[in-house]
Amino acid sequence: ARMDVSLETNEVLIEEIQNDWLRRADWLLRHVDYRRQYDTEFQPSNTYYDIGCSTSELRLYVTKVLVPYKQIWAEAMLTATIEFIWRELGINHVYYHTFETGNKLKAVPGEPPRSIYTKLPKQFGFEVTDKAPVFISQSKFAKRTLKKIKQPTWYYLNL
């Protein structure tokens, strides 16, 4: 998870929940399969030297072992993030980007998975608000960008 933290205002803005581990494993298997079309001896370690598995082991890992993680990854990461914010940082005011406002503020190229910015925060009891985190509303860059958004919104959770 990527977060912006302000201890002064007792706020955290969850920027995003990432699944790099899962995406990279999928990419690696596709890459290895592609390369093996031209070189049947190509192995995962030819791409990442520290991967010590065969192509068949990588395939098993991606298509079987990771499947349950793919199904719960976003929920597990948001649970761990909220737990960290509350227990370790002691912060009560948690914000999470909405799809539209987050894309504009972060200048995201392309579109991230919509469900991570719509369905996921609602599952955890976040409510939509037009009140920006204080540390965001005080940022010169954010102020300029927010003026360009018709109705900027965030998700908010008070712990």
Side-chain angles (χ1 to χ4, degrees), residues 52-69:
C53 67
S54 67
T55 300
S56 61
E57 291 168 328
L58 175 64
R59 185 174 322 289
L60 176 67
Y61 180 70
V62 171
T63 62
K64 300 284 189 240
V65 174
L66 290 184
V67 169
Y69 296 100

Side-chain angles (χ1 to χ4, degrees), residues 33-101:
D33 283 344
Y34 174 78
R35 294 291 304 267
R36 286 179 66 86
Q37 291 175 33
Y38 306 100
D39 175 3
T40 56
E41 300 300 315
F42 191 86
Q43 292 295 316
S45 61
N46 295 122
T47 301
Y48 294 114
Y49 72 91
D50 57 345
I51 293 181
C53 67
S54 67
T55 300
S56 61
E57 291 168 328
L58 175 64
R59 185 174 322 289
L60 176 67
Y61 180 70
V62 171
T63 62
K64 300 284 189 240
V65 174
L66 290 184
V67 169
Y69 296 100
K70 290 177 182 180
Q71 294 170 353
I72 64 163
W73 185 258
E75 291 89 352
M77 277 304 303
L78 187 54
T79 299
T81 302
I82 291 170
E83 181 83 5
F84 175 79
I85 291 167
W86 183 55
R87 291 199 188 272
E88 300 297 324
L89 299 178
I91 292 179
N92 300 75
H93 302 285
V94 182
Y95 291 84
Y96 191 109
H97 277 300
T98 57
F99 185 76
E100 295 78 11
T101 303

Side-chain angles (χ1 to χ4, degrees):
R2 231 172 29 107
M3 303 175 284
D4 290 330
V5 178
S6 173
L7 297 175
E8 294 87 33
T9 62
N10 191 35
E11 296 172 320
V12 169
L13 172 62
I14 299 173
E15 291 278 348
E16 63 183 310
I17 299 296
Q18 298 176 334
N19 64 353
D20 295 351
W21 166 45
L22 301 172
R23 277 188 300 112
R24 285 184 180 149
D26 285 339
W27 176 87
L28 179 60
L29 181 58
R30 285 192 314 273
H31 177 73
V32 169
D33 283 344
Y34 174 78
R35 294 291 304 267
R36 286 179 66 86
Q37 291 175 33
Y38 306 100
D39 175 3
T40 56
E41 300 300 315
F42 191 86
Q43 292 295 316
S45 61
N46 295 122
T47 301
Y48 294 114
Y49 72 91
D50 57 345
I51 293 181
C53 67
S54 67
T55 300
S56 61
E57 291 168 328
L58 175 64
R59 185 174 322 289
L60 176 67
Y61 180 70
V62 171
T63 62
K64 300 284 189 240
V65 174
L66 290 184
V67 169
Y69 296 100
K70 290 177 182 180
Q71 294 170 353
I72 64 163
W73 185 258
E75 291 89 352
M77 277 304 303
L78 187 54
T79 299
T81 302
I82 291 170
E83 181 83 5
F84 175 79
I85 291 167
W86 183 55
R87 291 199 188 272
E88 300 297 324
L89 299 178
I91 292 179
N92 300 75
H93 302 285
V94 182
Y95 291 84
Y96 191 109
H97 277 300
T98 57
F99 185 76
E100 295 78 11
T101 303
N103 283 345
K104 299 276 189 203
L105 272 177
K106 297 186 295 182
V108 174
E111 289 193 351
R114 188 176 283 270
S115 63
I116 289 182
Y117 296 97
T118 55
K119 181 181 164 192
L120 183 62
K122 290 176 185 174
Q123 286 177 272
F124 282 77
F126 282 81
E127 295 180 4
V128 176
T129 181
D130 59 358
K131 180 180 171 259
V134 172
F135 71 94
I136 295 293
S137 63
Q138 292 174 347
S139 158
K140 289 180 184 179
F141 168 78
K143 281 182 189 179
R144 283 194 307 271
T145 305
L146 289 173
K147 285 180 184 178
K148 299 174 188 176
I149 303 172
K150 188 174 182 178
Q151 291 181 304
T153 56
W154 288 263
Y155 289 104
Y156 174 73
L157 180 65
N158 186 5
L159 300 177

